[in-house]
Structures are given as structure tokens and as C-alpha cells.
């Protein structure tokens, strides 16, 4: 008797930066205050929301990253990035439960989310290049660091 789980195959279909905002006023305020160096203590808040388009066999991971100044809690930058994955044999692996919510197997979810976070890290790093936030690099995130919530 085989005890192996069947591997779920998927591929990137698209990546879209839905929105980005860098608060340049914060840097200007510090320059006006004649501070020698612009220094910030950063905090990254990361949320991932999963959507499903069964008609297209797509799972969409929406990653929302907010970079805050730890001292003032001011929002320094904010990014919303959508990741679209085509799931091969979608109907075999993604099911609709009795509440009308799609169930994504943990083996797939535990691959997609880290891929999205890592890719978002690279996109954000690239987008912040040349700004006062260019030294703010999103830390490595493990799935165990996330609180899982479910919206109904």
C-alpha cells in the first residue's frame, strides 16, 4: 500500500503590483528637522489573502506588506501584490466545502505562500531601490510565524 501524497502541480500565471505607496514626506520632514542622518527602525506587517477562480483553475495569493516606523508607527511604504497560480488538475485538489469556501490542501498552501512572500521581498527591494527606504529589506518569514485566520 502506497503512503505517498500525490504531488500537486502548478505554475505562475501572472504577478501584478496592485498598488504601491512610498511616503516621501516622512524623509522630507526629517531633512527639514536638520537631522544629520535619516534613520528609521522598520517593522514589516505582512498579510496574505487567498482567493480562488475555479473557472480558470487559478489560486490567487494577495500579499499586502506595510512598512512602519517602529518609533512613530507612521506608514513608510505599502505594497499590494497579487500572485496568480494555475493549478493543474484543479478539480482533483481544490474542493468547495459546504459553506461555499474553497479548501486548498496544506501541501499546496505551504508552498505557495513562501513563494509569494519571497517573490514579494524581491519586488519590494527592487521598488525601494534609490529611495530613503532602500536599506529596509523584508526579513525571511516562516509559515509558523503567521496567524491563520479565515474570512467567511
Amino acid at each position: 500500500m502506497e503512503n505517498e501524497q500525490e504531488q500537486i502541480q502548478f505554475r505562475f500565471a501572472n504577478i501584478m503590483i496592485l498598488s504601491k505607496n512610498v511616503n516621501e514626506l516622512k524623509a522630507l520632514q526629517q531633512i527639514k528637522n536638520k537631522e544629520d542622518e535619516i534613520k528609521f527602525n522598520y517593522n514589516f506587517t505582512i498579510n496574505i489573502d487567498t482567493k480562488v477562480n475555479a473557472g480558470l483553475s487559478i489560486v490567487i495569493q494577495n500579499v499586502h506588506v506595510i512598512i512602519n516606523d517602529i518609533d512613530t508607527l507612521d506608514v513608510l511604504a505599502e505594497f499590494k501584490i497579487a500572485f496568480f497560480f494555475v493549478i493543474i488538475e484543479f478539480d482533483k485538489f481544490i474542493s468547495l466545502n459546504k459553506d461555499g469556501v474553497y479548501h486548498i490542501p496544506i501541501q499546496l498552501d505551504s508552498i505557495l505562500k513562501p513563494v509569494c512572500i519571497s517573490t514579494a521581498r524581491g519586488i519590494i527591494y527592487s521598488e525601494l531601490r534609490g529611495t530613503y527606504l532602500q536599506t529596509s529589506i523584508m526579513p525571511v518569514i516562516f509559515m509558523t510565524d503567521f496567524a491563520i485566520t479565515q474570512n467567511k
Side-chain angles (χ1 to χ4, degrees):
M1 196 171 172
E2 281 187 35
N3 203 12
E4 292 181 32
Q5 288 184 340
E6 192 170 351
Q7 186 174 10
I8 303 172
Q9 296 182 4
F10 63 91
R11 65 177 172 79
F12 268 114
N14 200 358
I15 301 171
M16 296 174 62
I17 299 175
L18 302 175
S19 67
K20 69 177 181 176
N21 180 32
V22 178
N23 185 351
E24 297 292 343
L25 290 177
K26 181 69 175 167
L28 292 174
Q29 287 168 349
Q30 286 210 349
I31 291 168
K32 283 183 181 178
N33 293 337
K34 299 184 183 195
E35 293 186 17
D36 294 333
E37 262 184 78
I38 298 176
K39 289 186 180 178
F40 295 99
N41 294 316
Y42 309 111
N43 181 56
F44 289 83
T45 302
I46 304 163
N47 291 298
I48 300 177
D49 181 40
T50 303
K51 302 287 183 194
V52 172
N53 184 324
L56 297 175
S57 301
I58 288 179
V59 171
I60 305 159
Q61 300 280 353
N62 293 300
V63 178
H64 183 200
V65 178
I66 299 172
I67 305 172
N68 292 91
D69 181 325
I70 290 176
D71 300 323
T72 66
L73 300 180
D74 290 340
V75 174
L76 303 175
E78 185 172 1
F79 293 86
K80 292 181 182 176
I81 306 168
F83 298 86
F84 298 78
F85 296 93
V86 172
I87 309 302
I88 310 304
E89 296 184 283
F90 180 92
D91 294 330
K92 183 176 179 180
F93 298 106
I94 311 293
S95 59
L96 191 62
N97 71 18
K98 63 181 178 165
D99 297 324
V101 176
Y102 282 96
H103 171 73
I104 298 171
I106 189 88
Q107 69 192 58
L108 178 61
D109 202 43
S110 65
I111 293 171
L112 295 183
K113 285 186 173 143
V115 165
C116 293
I117 292 168
S118 295
T119 305
R121 180 184 303 106
I123 290 169
I124 291 168
Y125 177 79
S126 179
E127 292 292 323
L128 293 177
R129 200 175 32 206
T131 72
Y132 72 103
L133 293 171
Q134 68 186 0
T135 59
S136 65
I137 300 172
M138 196 164 81
V140 174
I141 306 293
F142 298 100
M143 291 312 299
T144 54
D145 296 336
F146 276 90
I148 307 298
T149 59
Q150 184 167 336
N151 295 335
K152 291 192 177 187

